[in-house]
Structure formats: C-alpha cells, structure tokens
Amino acid sequence: MGGWGDVLLPTSVAVGEEAAAEAGWLVDQPGAYCPLCGSTVAAAAVTLNGCPHCRDRRIAWDNLWRLGAYQKPLSSWIIAMKFQRAWGWGNWMGRQLAAVTPTHERSVVVPVPLHWTRRWRRGYDQAALIADGFATAKGFPLAKLLRRRRRTAAQSALKSREKRRRNVHHAFTMRPVDLTGWTVWLIDDVSTSGSTARVCTHLLRRAGAERVNLAVPAVADPKHADFQHT
C-alpha cells in the first residue's frame, strides 16, 4: 500500500509529445466530428441542425471542440491523468485544445468542478488542470465559477441518457457574477451524453454569457458503439 506521498505527488510517467509520437496519435481535425455534439461523423453528415447523433436533441452550448474520440491511446492517457496521478497530461491536453480552438475577445475559462470529497481524495481536479493549461496558452483568465454542491455517481457508470440527466439535476451552483458580453470556455475531461455540460451551460447563460463553448480532450459514444450506426 502506498503512503501519503503516493497520494499527494504526481507519478513520473512520461506524458505529452513523446508519448503521442510513439503512439502515432494526432489531434482530430474539426471536420472529423460534429461541431455541436462532438460525435465522430463524416463532414457530409453534418447539417446546421447537427449530425445523426444529435439532430433530435437540443444542444445547450454553441460549439464543441475535442482532441479525439474516447478511444485508445487517448482514453488511456485520460485514465492515467484521473486515477494514476499522471498530472502532466492535464496541462498538455489543455495546451493541445488551445491550439485547435479560435480566440474570442472577452473570453473566460471555466472548468467543470469535482465534488470536494473526490478532489480531496484524488489530490487534484483534472478538469481544472486542463483548464489551466488551456487558459495559460490562450492568455485567457481562469475563473472557478461553478461548484458541485452534491456528490454524484460517475456519468460513465450510467447507461441511459435519462439516468445521466437525473444524476446531475441540481448538482451544480454558481458564484454570483455578471458574464454579459463574455464568451465562456467550459472545460471538462470527457463528454459522454453532455448532461453535465448542459447543466453548467444553463447556469452560465443565466449569468449572461454571450457564448458558451465546450472544449474537452475526448468525446465518448454514450451507446458504446464507437459512433457507428447499426
């Protein structure tokens, strides 16, 4: 069993450009996925109303940017970041997202927060690490405006969209702030059904946000079908 040092200190696992090069991994180009929900689709399948995965859904945010689908090796790096103390992936992923996203005036970066009990147990908040790398690379302010007021089950453990929606219902609150005229970059580690980001986006819009852009390292297929239609 590891001691406190294992909990508080990051591991020395290699991260970043070298690991990505060894794996032959490249960041997805925008045309490889839907700019609304982030699902893997051919560019020809995307319309102004979305893609086959989201055309029947109302998307809360304005646009979504990702580095890739939640598949190996990217999924392995995210797991290492979240559960194996490979903190360096967070900053690196944030910088990679910054490189593929546009720059808007009056932008602020807001991470989706962990519940304090998970943050205390883990020793850090992975979305905040990604957001910090993103904000630093962009030169945007980072503001931890959202708070998770109750601990929720992991969204990835819930199999239906309705269960995910109920899981995060009233799970977040927000600091009193006026975001009128601001573009908010909402940062999380993985988007699955979008339920968490949807709740957070509604709070940000109530505070006056002009635009809410969602930026995540990976988008997972909520049906676990690798975005393929059967």
Side-chain angles (χ1 to χ4, degrees):
M1 180 180 296
W4 279 106
D6 292 331
V7 176
L8 298 176
L9 298 176
T11 64
S12 58
V13 175
V15 301
E17 300 295 343
E18 183 178 353
E22 289 179 358
W25 179 85
L26 296 173
V27 174
D28 279 350
Q29 296 302 307
Y33 59 90
C34 175
L36 293 181
C37 72
S39 298
T40 302
V41 290
V46 178
T47 70
L48 293 177
N49 296 320
C51 73
H53 295 276
C54 68
R55 206 163 286 149
D56 60 343
R57 292 193 287 131
R58 186 173 180 180
I59 302 299
W61 50 87
D62 292 283
N63 286 103
L64 181 149
W65 279 266
R66 75 179 205 188
L67 298 182
Y70 189 70
Q71 299 167 348
K72 292 182 178 180
L74 183 57
S75 58
S76 299
W77 299 336
I78 292 172
I79 290 170
M81 173 182 64
K82 294 175 68 171
F83 305 115
Q84 298 167 13
R85 305 185 305 282
W87 299 2
W89 281 117
N91 184 272
W92 183 82
M93 290 176 184
R95 288 186 284 110
Q96 295 302 305
L97 282 168
V100 297
T101 50
T103 297
H104 299 294
E105 294 184 359
R106 298 197 74 193
S107 287
V108 62
V109 181
V110 178
V112 174
L114 278 179
H115 189 263
W116 71 267
T117 56
R118 282 200 172 97
R119 187 174 62 249
W120 178 84
R121 183 178 181 85
R122 189 170 296 173
Y124 57 95
D125 182 331
Q126 70 275 0
L129 294 178
I130 299 166
D132 183 66
F134 182 91
T136 300
K138 285 289 195 184
F140 295 158
L142 173 65
K144 297 181 180 180
L145 301 179
L146 296 165
R147 181 175 68 87
R148 195 180 290 253
R149 64 182 181 182
R150 64 178 175 82
R151 182 164 174 160
T152 57
Q155 290 288 78
S156 58
L158 304 176
K159 302 305 181 184
S160 73
R161 192 179 301 276
E162 178 59 25
K163 287 182 179 179
R164 295 187 184 105
R165 187 193 65 78
R166 291 201 304 266
N167 187 46
V168 295
H169 187 58
H170 293 315
F172 295 89
T173 58
M174 186 169 163
R175 290 171 51 191
V177 64
D178 184 3
L179 292 173
T180 302
W182 284 84
T183 292
V184 177
W185 288 91
L186 182 63
I187 308 293
D188 206 357
D189 55 355
V190 179
S191 175
T192 305
S193 67
S195 296
T196 298
R198 186 176 303 111
V199 171
C200 294
T201 297
H202 288 325
L203 290 172
L204 293 165
R205 290 202 190 280
R206 287 177 195 167
E210 183 174 312
R211 290 183 60 86
V212 179
N213 293 325
L214 178 60
V216 293
V219 174
D221 183 350
K223 297 181 179 179
H224 305 286
D226 294 332
F227 299 104
Q228 301 299 314
H229 288 291
T230 57

